[in-house]
Amino acid sequence: MQDQLKQAPVDKYVINPLKSFISNSVMGGVVLLVATIIAVALANSPWSDWFLGLWKNRISLHFNDTVFLDYDLHHWINDGLISIFFFVLGLELKREMVDGQLSGFKNAILPIIVGISGMIFPALIFYLFNGGDSEALSGWGIPMACDIAFVLGILYLLGDKIPVSVKIFFTAFGIVDDIGAVLIIALVYTNEISYISLIVGLIFFVLLIIANKFGVRSTHFYGVVGILGVWLPFLLSGVHATIAAVLVAFTIPATTKISETGFLKKIKKYSTNLDEIESLDGPTLTNDQLHIIGKMKSMTKHAMPPLQRLEHGLHPVVSFVVMPIFALANAGVVFNVNFEDLFSNNIFSGIVTGLVVGKFLGIFGVTFILLKLKLVKLPKKMTVNHLFGISILSGIGFTMCLFITTLAYSNDEQVTQAKIGIFVASIIAGILGYVLLSRNASREKQTAKE
């Protein structure tokens, strides 16, 4: 029994169940969905005024009579808290480019084509609906983005019915989709720019790149310089601060300080040394034991790339803190709009059609043509039916679509029309995609038995 970890009551009843909950890939999507339902319910309840007014409370930073930052809570969430999500997104993008699905031309070509076409078609459809309305047209970027977390959540709910290659393929072109959304936010949905603040932010960004090249691996250094030197100047510049988060993520080192072989040799050596040291009779350790365990801890840290260490550590924060709060602040739509108001312009229709039809045409249509021309091949164990299903599922455009909505429109009626469109499209795409993939899996299982 001494060779096993001791299970205290807090481990058994609190920590272990919590770890199991957090490590479940589906739970992040479930928590996000619950937060969305709560936001919608409160927005349409007797507490609506309190709930919607909560996000208008202002938080300011000032020294004596000089005010440095003065924004409402909604702004702090959409420029500050959500930057953590974009930072983790940037870490994922860099990892995929360094050693993942986007690391080589052969690996990247199909996901890049699919990701781009999956954004162009929804935007074109939105333009067809709203081309004659200049105010409504500013939301053309809304239906371009899909929600990776929700789609992966549904794919994981289907379990072994869906080959791993399908999930990997979706993740690859979903990442391209995210890159496109980040570029659109940077290039299109940016206010008047303060070039002095922007230059200051870029100088510190270059400093982080130089620090990376010189071998600086302290995540605290990148955190302090990234927030104060890059994120804050970008916030003050008018360029959306979330772009700073992505840029900082790309400066985080992605290499280890020691090879896997070297690490194993060192750990074996330390283990042998630890075994040879005489221990105390009680539960405490000797100074020599503490010294060796400290070396083992340091060596373990050197064996992990800072990029992956941060990505792994921040994922639960994003899934269970950042995104639920973002949903609470942005998904509260008051459904007191009548059909005449909903269809007073084509924002709602453009978003629903763009997400459900546009994503399908851009992903399935373009890939199917490329397959027929024998220019590309699908990953192993992935069929055209799988492609059909995930093309529909990609119409789930929640997090990024809601975020772009807050940048595209300032009129409350237009924001409501857009958010309802996002909800409706996501529900249609989610249910339809799940049913199609599930039925396809059942047919394939039945065919295999026969």
Side-chain angles (χ1 to χ4, degrees):
M1 293 294 291
Q2 292 296 320
D3 294 335
Q4 298 179 2
L5 287 173
K6 293 179 180 178
Q7 292 288 319
V10 69
D11 295 317
K12 186 176 181 181
Y13 299 109
V14 179
I15 295 176
N16 290 343
L18 188 61
K19 282 183 177 178
S20 178
F21 180 84
I22 290 174
S23 63
N24 190 321
S25 57
V26 179
M27 289 300 108
V30 171
V31 172
L32 183 59
L33 180 61
V34 170
T36 302
I37 293 171
I38 291 173
V40 173
L42 287 174
N44 292 276
S45 72
W47 301 283
S48 177
D49 291 339
W50 167 82
F51 178 72
L52 297 177
L54 173 66
W55 313 109
K56 296 178 182 178
N57 289 310
R58 302 192 75 81
I59 299 175
S60 61
L61 298 177
H62 58 86
F63 182 75
N64 291 332
D65 295 330
T66 304
V67 178
F68 293 100
L69 300 170
D70 182 23
Y71 303 113
D72 61 28
L73 186 56
H74 185 265
H75 194 283
W76 278 111
I77 290 170
N78 282 16
D79 276 64
L81 191 66
I82 199 66
S83 291
I84 301 174
F85 162 77
F86 278 87
F87 178 71
V88 174
L89 173 63
L91 294 175
E92 292 176 346
L93 293 177
K94 182 173 181 178
R95 174 172 51 77
E96 290 294 334
M97 290 177 178
V98 170
D99 188 26
Q101 291 297 308
L102 304 177
S103 61
F105 182 77
K106 277 188 174 181
N107 290 332
I109 186 63
L110 182 56
I112 288 174
I113 292 172
V114 171
I116 293 174
S117 61
M119 297 182 73
I120 291 175
F121 277 78
L124 288 175
I125 287 177
F126 188 89
Y127 180 82
L128 290 174
F129 275 87
N130 296 279
D133 186 341
S134 58
E135 288 188 10
L137 188 58
S138 61
W140 62 268
I142 296 171
M144 294 178 75
C146 68
D147 194 302
I148 293 180
F150 266 131
V151 176
L152 284 178
I154 291 176
L155 290 177
Y156 279 107
L157 282 175
L158 289 164
D160 295 336
K161 294 178 179 178
I162 303 299
V164 175
S165 59
V166 176
K167 298 168 187 175
I168 293 173
F169 177 72
F170 168 76
T171 303
F173 78 72
I175 287 171
V176 175
D177 187 288
D178 281 338
I179 294 174
V182 169
L183 290 174
I184 289 168
I185 291 169
L187 300 174
V188 179
Y189 297 109
T190 295
N191 300 319
E192 292 183 9
I193 298 175
S194 168
Y195 288 100
I196 294 176
S197 296
L198 182 61
I199 290 170
V200 170
L202 291 174
I203 288 172
F204 279 100
F205 170 63
V206 172
L207 174 64
L208 290 178
I209 294 175
I210 294 171
N212 184 327
K213 297 297 182 183
F214 271 80
V216 177
R217 300 174 62 80
S218 170
T219 53
H220 294 100
F221 170 81
Y222 288 97
V224 172
V225 177
I227 293 171
L228 298 180
V230 184
W231 177 82
L232 185 57
F234 266 69
L235 177 68
L236 298 173
S237 73
V239 175
H240 209 276
T242 52
I243 305 304
V246 177
L247 292 177
V248 171
F250 272 83
T251 68
I252 306 298
T255 57
T256 60
K257 203 168 185 179
I258 186 171
S259 67
E260 185 178 341
T261 304
F263 170 72
L264 290 172
K265 286 181 179 178
K266 287 283 188 181
I267 291 297
K268 286 178 181 178
K269 178 185 174 183
Y270 292 145
S271 297
T272 302
N273 293 342
L274 191 63
D275 189 49
E276 292 172 350
I277 294 175
E278 186 177 347
S279 61
L280 298 173
D281 293 333
T284 57
L285 303 174
T286 66
N287 287 333
D288 288 338
Q289 286 175 317
L290 287 172
H291 182 66
I292 292 175
I293 290 174
K295 284 185 175 180
M296 294 174 79
K297 182 180 178 181
S298 176
M299 195 56 59
T300 302
K301 186 177 180 181
H302 291 324
M304 296 176 64
L307 181 143
Q308 286 182 288
R309 200 165 70 239
L310 279 172
E311 184 185 348
H312 180 75
L314 289 175
H315 252 304
V317 177
V318 170
S319 297
F320 299 101
V321 178
V322 174
M323 298 317 297
I325 292 176
F326 172 81
L328 287 171
N330 289 277
V333 180
V334 180
F335 289 101
N336 61 357
V337 60
N338 56 46
F339 277 103
E340 289 184 4
D341 291 334
L342 190 62
F343 292 99
S344 61
N345 54 40
N346 291 320
I347 291 176
F348 172 83
S349 305
I351 289 174
V352 173
T353 311
L355 281 170
V356 178
V357 179
K359 281 290 182 185
F360 174 77
L361 291 175
I363 296 169
F364 180 82
V366 171
T367 307
F368 188 76
I369 291 171
L370 293 175
L371 288 171
K372 287 296 181 182
L373 294 174
K374 296 183 179 180
L375 296 175
V376 296
K377 290 182 179 179
L378 290 177
K380 290 181 180 179
K381 295 185 179 180
M382 181 174 172
T383 66
V384 173
N385 288 331
H386 290 135
L387 177 65
F388 191 97
I390 62 170
S391 299
I392 296 291
L393 272 184
S394 297
I396 299 176
F398 188 73
T399 306
M400 200 70 82
C401 292
L402 285 177
F403 185 70
I404 295 176
T405 296
T406 64
L407 304 177
Y409 298 126
S410 56
N411 181 284
D412 289 340
E413 183 178 330
Q414 292 175 331
V415 170
T416 299
Q417 291 165 336
K419 287 184 176 181
I420 294 175
I422 293 166
F423 289 159
V424 170
S426 298
I427 292 169
I428 292 172
I431 294 174
L432 191 58
Y434 179 87
V435 170
L436 287 171
L437 286 170
S438 182
R439 285 185 175 179
N440 176 58
S442 298
R443 283 196 300 268
E444 288 181 351
K445 190 175 181 180
Q446 186 65 34
T447 303
K449 283 182 179 180
E450 295 174 355

